[in-house]
């Protein structure tokens, strides 16, 4: 019997380990579809997905669109500037209108934490959180975990360092919730202003020196500075940030040969990660992007009640 009974995906905090494993295993089944000549299955034929992005996106919006098309769903893309939010309509009214247009699935990216939860409690359409402020980005967390699990065959016991601006990162939160549920040892690394000690209450370790984790990490996941959500200066300057926390070439040379270098994108070359390191053989940054399609197929299929999983 399937462990998945939910119509929405709001965050990984709300999922059990079994539900996360269900989505990862379903993604594994769907990954093969993207490797065929005919990259399409009829699992969501007749369903309509609305990609509603009120904040900018390259990877997530395109990845959801491709995932939906591979499942044979019909896709409509709308952005904030092209929606009646510009004319003063509320998010709830806009979403109710999308539901009245018979959208089966609404994929929402919004700057307000809790916006996906808010809609999930008020709509019958499936609501998929594509990033809500600094709260969660569950499909990014899942695709990061999928990539790690595919490479190592497990999550339990791995030493995973998430480095950078944790305070404002929805990606960090979704990774932390998912990785801890699956038994990883998670260490957060960054300046004390962006990685406060109180995060240890989640069950992670906090370090303020990148040099403390380099030799022991199985995975380093670099995060960019989220300037768009910061309202004051959290460190003296980018130069100092690079010298203290950037994954430079000398630091990357200290990583174990098996250590994966990850980044959710968009990357700021020369800031959180050296350009050569981002393009190195240990980097799986583009593999993460590819895996995002299979993960999003699994999420759409699971939440919208797809017809069958392809053999
Ligand atoms: N990782 C991520 O969310 O990228 P986009 O902002 O381009 O969607």
């Amino acid at each position: 019997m399937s462990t998945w009974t939910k119509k929405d995906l709001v965050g990984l905090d709300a999922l059990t380990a079994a539900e996360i494993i269900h989505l990862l295993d379903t993604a594994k089944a769907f990954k093969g579809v993207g490797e065929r000549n005919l990259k399409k299955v009829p699992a969501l034929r007749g369903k309509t997905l609305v990609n509603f992005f009120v904040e900018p996106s390259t990877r997530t919006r395109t990845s959801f669109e491709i995932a939906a098309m591979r499942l044979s769903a019909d896709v409509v893309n709308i952005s904030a500037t092209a929606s009646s939010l510009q004319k003063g309509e509320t998010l709830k009214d806009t979403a109710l209108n999308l539901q009245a247009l018979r959208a089966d699935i609404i994929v929402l990216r919004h700057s307000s934490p809790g916006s996906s939860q808010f809609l999930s409690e008020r709509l019958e359409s499936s609501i998929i959180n594509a990033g809500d402020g600094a709260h969660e980005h569950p499909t990014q967390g899942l695709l990061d975990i999928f990539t790690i699990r595919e490479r190592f065959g497990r999550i339990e016991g791995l030493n995973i360092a998430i480095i950078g601006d944790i305070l404002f990162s929805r990606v960090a939160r979704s990774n932390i919730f998912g990785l801890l549920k699956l038994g990883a040892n998670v260490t957060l690394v960054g300046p004390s202003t962006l990685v406060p000690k109180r995060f240890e209450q989640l069950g992670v370790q906090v370090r303020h020196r990148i040099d403390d984790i380099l030799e022991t990490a199985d995975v380093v996941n670099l995060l960019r500075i989220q300037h768009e959500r910061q309202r004051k200066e959290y460190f003296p300057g980018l130069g100092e940030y690079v010298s203290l926390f950037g994954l430079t070439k000398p630091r990357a040379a200290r990583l174990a040969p098996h250590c994966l270098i990850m980044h959710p994108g968009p990357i700021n070359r020369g800031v959180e990660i050296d350009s050569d390191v981002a393009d190195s053989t240990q980097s799986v940054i583009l593999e993460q992007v590819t895996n995002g399609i299979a993960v999003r197929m699994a999420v759409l299929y699971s939440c919208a009640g797809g017809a069958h999983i392809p053999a």
Side-chain angles (χ1 to χ4, degrees), residues 46-62:
K47 303 273 186 188
T48 301
L49 177 144
V50 174
N51 247 341
F52 186 21
F53 278 63
V54 184
E55 268 193 343
S57 168
T58 299
R59 281 148 289 270
T60 313
R61 193 193 63 75
T62 313

Side-chain angles (χ1 to χ4, degrees), residues 7-8 10 114-124 127:
K7 79 171 180 69
D8 309 303
V10 171
S115 45
S116 287
Q117 180 70 38
F118 176 81
L119 290 188
S120 75
E121 291 166 5
R122 287 161 179 81
L123 269 69
E124 287 171 18
I127 304 297

Side-chain angles (χ1 to χ4, degrees), residues 59-60 137 140 143-144 169 171-172 175 221-224 226 262-267 285 288-289:
R59 281 148 289 270
T60 313
H137 190 348
Q140 181 69 47
L143 75 88
D144 293 342
S169 174
V171 174
N175 266 274
N221 195 350
L222 286 306
L223 302 179
R224 83 186 160 86
Q226 323 270 307
M262 305 182 74
H263 194 307
I267 64 175
I285 295 172
Q288 290 170 256
V289 177

